[in-house]
Amino acid sequence: MRAQMFGFVVVGLILMGGNCSRARVESMNEMNAGVELAQMKRFGEAAKSLEKAAALDPTNHQAYFNLAIVQIELRSFSAAREALERAIVAKPDTAGYHEKLGSVLIELNDWKGAQTALKNSLELDPTLFKAHFKLGRCSEELEDPQNALYQYSDAIMTGPRFLPSYSALGRLYADLRYPDQAAQVLAEALKVAMPGTEEEANIHHLLGTVYQQQRKYDEAITEFQSALGIVPGMSDALFSLGWTYALQGNDEEAKRYLDKYVMMAGADAPEHYVKAARDRLAELRTESP
């Protein structure tokens, strides 16, 4: 993946041939050296080469873009933002530059700035489904759930195999108390999910939570069991399954799965979930004859 990300620049140099100025040729040579260093994961050295390439020819937008990619690898998002802004100045009509800037601004929690960058990318290329998806995230953060629904829906229309869009749309429908729409979206997601993958397990779990909200406990249990059939140690599904059995009145199964959840919950498990599971287990044991 990383080789593909950087590799197009080398092809670009070949295509440009000998019609370049000396500064341009030197810039492209330096840039390609930076690309090769990046492919070897020598990101610090790659950044220096790409910075030199940009200095040699400030119109070399590809040098700025590749520098941004390297800075993202280094988790230097402010530097990546600056490089992308310069790439856009040099070539403002490239949709991918605006989308990448939006992604970097999301990392910097600049949701308004990210929203603007992503809108700019979609004005240039409305088929960028990941830009629609990220714009949906921005809309949620900016407390505009209606626009988030539109953007996630557009992401599905333009990228029907991109599962995160289905998950986000289904979850948002559920959060907004539209469980029927949520279930419909997630059922569609299962049709395109790769069988036996963690993504498919996550969709089953999310669909189960929707059924649980609807008090369709049998359907919820089926979905949670499906998730665990794919990822046996999936902690969220263990908790949800145990909790749903408790809601259903099946105390023995509730204890079995909540016990498993508590035993398997690691340091990253949300404390309030662990506490809820332990409290519920205590209640169930108290209620048992």
Side-chain angles (χ1 to χ4, degrees):
M1 179 65 72
R2 187 173 289 118
Q4 292 174 349
M5 182 181 295
F6 293 103
F8 78 93
V9 179
V10 179
V11 175
L13 175 60
I14 295 168
L15 292 175
M16 294 180 74
N19 296 324
C20 305
S21 68
R22 182 179 180 83
R24 182 66 163 178
V25 170
E26 291 179 356
S27 175
M28 295 297 286
N29 286 338
E30 195 68 46
M31 180 183 67
N32 285 322
V35 167
E36 290 177 6
L37 288 165
Q39 289 172 344
M40 292 185 283
K41 300 185 181 182
R42 293 161 61 179
F43 297 118
E45 296 169 76
K48 290 179 182 178
S49 287
L50 292 165
E51 286 167 357
K52 185 176 179 181
L56 286 165
D57 181 4
T59 68
N60 186 351
H61 56 92
Q62 291 176 321
Y64 288 121
F65 180 75
N66 281 286
L67 176 58
I69 299 299
V70 168
Q71 297 293 6
I72 291 169
E73 292 283 353
L74 293 169
R75 309 296 292 174
S76 299
F77 294 111
S78 293
R81 177 190 61 198
E82 182 180 348
L84 286 164
E85 288 171 346
R86 291 186 178 184
I88 289 167
V89 168
K91 199 168 192 303
D93 60 348
T94 302
Y97 293 178
H98 294 276
E99 182 186 7
K100 187 63 71 176
L101 177 59
S103 300
V104 167
L105 292 171
I106 286 174
E107 293 288 346
L108 291 169
N109 292 318
D110 181 358
W111 298 101
K112 288 289 284 186
Q115 184 181 60
T116 299
L118 293 165
K119 283 181 178 178
N120 289 339
S121 74
L122 289 167
E123 285 177 7
L124 292 165
D125 185 355
T127 68
L128 293 175
F129 58 90
K130 290 185 180 179
H132 282 294
F133 171 73
K134 294 167 191 172
L135 194 51
R137 283 190 59 199
C138 292
S139 296
E140 284 200 76
E141 290 290 336
L142 295 170
E143 299 183 357
D144 185 0
Q146 193 63 45
N147 190 57
L149 290 174
Y150 288 135
Q151 293 301 330
Y152 291 142
S153 297
D154 285 344
I156 290 171
M157 291 290 291
T158 52
R161 302 200 66 81
F162 186 60
L163 278 176
S165 300
Y166 293 89
S167 297
L169 182 59
R171 174 193 47 74
L172 183 55
Y173 270 133
D175 290 346
L176 295 172
R177 297 294 185 263
Y178 295 114
D180 291 338
Q181 289 88 336
Q184 182 179 355
V185 168
L186 295 169
E188 288 299 312
L190 288 174
K191 295 178 183 178
V192 300
M194 186 74 70
T197 62
E198 189 170 342
E199 279 188 323
E200 184 192 19
N202 288 331
I203 297 294
H204 279 297
H205 176 258
L206 194 51
L207 182 55
T209 63
V210 172
Y211 286 142
Q212 188 198 78
Q213 289 175 5
Q214 294 176 296
R215 299 186 179 183
K216 297 179 178 179
Y217 298 136
D218 288 339
E219 290 91 335
I221 287 167
T222 297
E223 295 302 325
F224 296 141
Q225 291 281 21
S226 295
L228 289 169
I230 298 167
V231 183
M234 186 176 182
S235 61
D236 288 348
L238 288 171
F239 175 87
S240 298
L241 184 56
W243 199 265
T244 305
Y245 274 127
L247 292 172
Q248 197 182 46
N250 188 335
D251 292 355
E252 289 307 309
E253 289 297 282
K255 286 187 285 188
R256 184 157 76 95
Y257 283 101
L258 289 174
D259 264 330
K260 282 186 180 180
Y261 171 75
V262 170
M263 284 189 295
M264 295 187 67
D268 294 334
E271 288 185 16
H272 61 286
Y273 274 94
V274 177
K275 183 179 185 303
R278 285 175 174 158
D279 290 348
R280 192 73 184 100
L281 280 167
E283 292 170 7
L284 290 168
R285 286 170 181 143
T286 302
E287 293 167 4
S288 298

